[in-house]
Structures are given as structure tokens and as C-alpha cells.
């Protein structure tokens, strides 16, 4: 495998997963680093050409909003590589239909592929042991099957997070248990680069197994988590507000990448 790759204009679209929430970094644009920034770092180091990167993702965005607000904006940048993760915020909402979501997703991927760019999709991870997210495990699995079919139909690539079993480790998740931790983002970045066939030195990271915890300690932590993160999330759903209200994308134009370790 060559150390070189063909991509010079990388655009990432999506929601908080792609924005990098859970991986705070004051030195990064927008205050969060995330897997997409890490992928851009590796890609910038793997080409002799001028390399540029844009990230249009905004936390809390639903699939419809990503289609309406980000797809054409991404295509206007003339990318030769696009990553898209969308629908996760829809799937966790009560009453959402993964079959209907897949129809909209299909049209989105067709648009993103129209100019010949390489497009990378993501399945949802297996969240069977995660509070709240674990309740939609079945819907996630159905949605994932649709995404595989859509990728096959349109010649897109898939980074299969469901198959990445290490993501079930709680250390791969931020304290809110909804977003990946820095370790989780680094692991996802490694998986994306593997999907693209780009050599890298990112891992994947496989931490040592956790020691068993006393039941009471775990329950106290669960109650603290529910108060700090779950209740505000439910309140936003009831009020129809989003964590992304008033937030703008962190890299709206293609910009050079300063290589980081």
C-alpha cells in the first residue's frame, strides 16, 4: 500500500459526532477536535499536494437539517472526499421510522456522489449497554442495514462502527454517555483511515479491561449522570429546542491543515 492518497479537498458534514463534541480542545477551531480533525491531520500528512479541510457539522442537527443546510454547501466547495454521519439524532427520538429516514438518506448520498467525490458513511455503534441509547438498539440495527444497502447502491464507502466492538468500552464515551471521548474519537479516526486505505499511526486504541465495580458505586454514578445529562436532554426534547441552537459550523470554508501529533 502506498503512503500517498488521492484526496486534497476533504469536507465533513453531520451532527455533534462529526463536530467533535466530547473531545474538548481549546487549541482546535471551535474548541473541539474530534475524529474528523484527526483524519484531516493524517490526510494532510499523506499527500504532496496542497490539502484543505472543511467541517460543516453542527451539534443536534437532524437528518433533514443536514440535507437542507449542509449538502449543497459541501458540494459548492468542490470536495473530492466527503464524510457524512446523519440520522443518529432522529433514530433516538420516539416514533422515528428508520425506513423513512433511509429514503431521505438515499437521496442525500446520491447528491453527494453526483460530482464523483469519494463518500464515506457511518453505521451507528452497538449501544446495547448504554443508558437511553440502548433502548434504540433495534432501530439502529435496522438503520445500519439500510446504510449498507445505500452505500452499495451509490458506490460509497462505509465505516462500520457497529463492528468496532472496542467502542462498547465505557472509556470510549464522554461523561454524558452520548458522545465519544477523546479516546473514542481517536479510535473512530483510525477506523475512517482504515476504510480509506490510508496508513496511519492512530491505533485503534484498545484499553486494558476495566475492573469490576461495586453495584452501589455504579448506581450512584448513574444517578449523577441522569441529573446532569439525561434530564436536560429530555427537557430540550419537550421544549423542542436543540443543543445546536445558535451554533454555527466550525470550518465553513476549505482551509489548510496544520499537522498535529
Amino acid at each position: 500500500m502506498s503512503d500517498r492518497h488521492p484526496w486534497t479537498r476533504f469536507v465533513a458534514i453531520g451532527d455533534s459526532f462529526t463536530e467533535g463534541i466530547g473531545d474538548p480542545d481549546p487549541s482546535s477551531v471551535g474548541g473541539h477536535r474530534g475524529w474528523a480533525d484527526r483524519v484531516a491531520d493524517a490526510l494532510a500528512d499523506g499527500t504532496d499536494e496542497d490539502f484543505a479541510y472543511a467541517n460543516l457539522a453542527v451539534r443536534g442537527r437532524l437528518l433533514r437539517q443536514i440535507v437542507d443546510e449542509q449538502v449543497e454547501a459541501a458540494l459548492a466547495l468542490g470536495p473530492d472526499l466527503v464524510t457524512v454521519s446523519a440520522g443518529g439524532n432522529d433514530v433516538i427520538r420516539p416514533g422515528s421510522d428508520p425506513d423513512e429516514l433511509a429514503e431521505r438518506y438515499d437521496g442525500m448520498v446520491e447528491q453527494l456522489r453526483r460530482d464523483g467525490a469519494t463518500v464515506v458513511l457511518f453505521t451507528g455503534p452497538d449501544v446495547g449497554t448504554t443508558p437511553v441509547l440502548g433502548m434504540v438498539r433495534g432501530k439502529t440495527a435496522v438503520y445500519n442495514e439500510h446504510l449498507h444497502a445505500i452505500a452499495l447502491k451509490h458506490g460509497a464507502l462505509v465505516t462500520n462502527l457497529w463492528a468496532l466492538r472496542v467502542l462498547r468500552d465505557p472509556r470510549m464515551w464522554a461523561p454524558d454517555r452520548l458522545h465519544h471521548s477523546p479516546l473514542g474519537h481517536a479510535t473512530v479516526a483510525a477506523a475512517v483511515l482504515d476504510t480509506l486505505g490510508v496508513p496511519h499511526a492512530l491505533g485503534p486504541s484498545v484499553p486494558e479491561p476495566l475492573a469490576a465495580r461495586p453495584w452501589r458505586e455504579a448506581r450512584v454514578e448513574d444517578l449523577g449522570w441522569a441529573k446532569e445529562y439525561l434530564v436536560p436532554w429530555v427537557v430540550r426534547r419537550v421544549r423542542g429546542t436543540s443543543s445546536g441552537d445558535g451554533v454555527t459550523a466550525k470550518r465553513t470554508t476549505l482551509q489548510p491543515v496544520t499537522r498535529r501529533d
Side-chain angles (χ1 to χ4, degrees):
M1 181 184 299
S2 171
D3 288 342
R4 303 294 94 185
H5 65 76
W7 301 288
T8 59
R9 299 167 70 85
F10 168 35
V11 178
I13 67 174
D15 51 30
S16 58
F17 169 70
T18 300
E19 186 184 347
I21 303 303
D23 186 12
D25 182 352
S27 66
S28 293
V29 177
H32 300 273
R33 192 177 183 192
W35 65 264
D37 286 14
R38 287 174 163 83
V39 168
D41 289 345
L43 294 177
D45 197 43
T47 179
D48 294 325
E49 305 294 329
D50 291 335
F51 181 84
Y53 160 57
N55 188 322
L56 308 184
V58 177
R59 68 198 74 172
R61 290 299 190 259
L62 299 171
L63 174 58
R64 171 185 50 79
Q65 294 172 308
I66 292 169
V67 172
D68 292 345
E69 300 169 8
Q70 298 179 26
V71 171
E72 285 298 337
L75 291 171
L77 297 175
D80 51 20
L81 172 64
V82 179
T83 60
V84 53
S85 177
N89 289 322
D90 300 82
V91 168
I92 64 176
R93 291 192 171 209
S96 62
D97 184 341
D99 299 328
E100 293 179 359
L101 292 172
E103 290 184 15
R104 182 170 289 153
Y105 204 108
D106 184 285
M108 175 180 65
V109 175
E110 183 177 18
Q111 281 184 273
L112 292 172
R113 285 281 293 149
R114 74 183 186 196
D115 298 326
T118 299
V119 174
V120 179
L121 318 181
F122 296 81
T123 65
D126 185 357
V127 291
T129 59
T130 306
V132 179
L133 298 184
M135 295 186 294
V136 297
R137 188 183 189 218
K139 286 169 64 176
T140 301
V142 171
Y143 193 51
N144 285 350
E145 287 301 307
H146 280 302
L147 298 186
H148 282 295
I150 290 168
L152 184 63
K153 176 181 177 181
H154 296 292
L157 302 176
V158 178
T159 296
N160 190 347
L161 300 184
W162 184 282
L164 199 57
R165 309 312 288 173
V166 70
L167 289 181
R168 301 184 73 175
D169 188 296
R171 287 165 292 185
M172 294 287 171
W173 297 86
D176 65 6
R177 303 183 186 179
L178 296 171
H179 300 99
H180 289 295
S181 65
L183 180 63
H185 277 284
T187 301
V188 171
V192 174
L193 293 167
D194 289 341
T195 299
L196 293 171
V198 174
H200 61 86
L202 293 181
S205 301
V206 182
E208 292 295 322
L210 283 170
R213 299 171 60 216
W215 180 87
R216 184 177 298 277
E217 179 184 325
R219 297 295 75 76
V220 169
E221 184 176 300
D222 288 344
L223 289 173
W225 166 80
K227 180 179 179 180
E228 185 170 358
Y229 298 108
L230 178 59
V231 171
W233 181 83
V234 172
V235 169
R236 287 197 300 271
R237 297 288 78 74
V238 171
R239 292 178 176 173
T241 60
S242 167
S243 60
D245 290 346
V247 177
T248 57
K250 63 182 184 179
R251 296 176 69 107
T252 57
T253 60
L254 285 164
Q255 303 168 25
V257 174
T258 300
R259 184 71 175 93
R260 293 178 52 169
D261 295 330

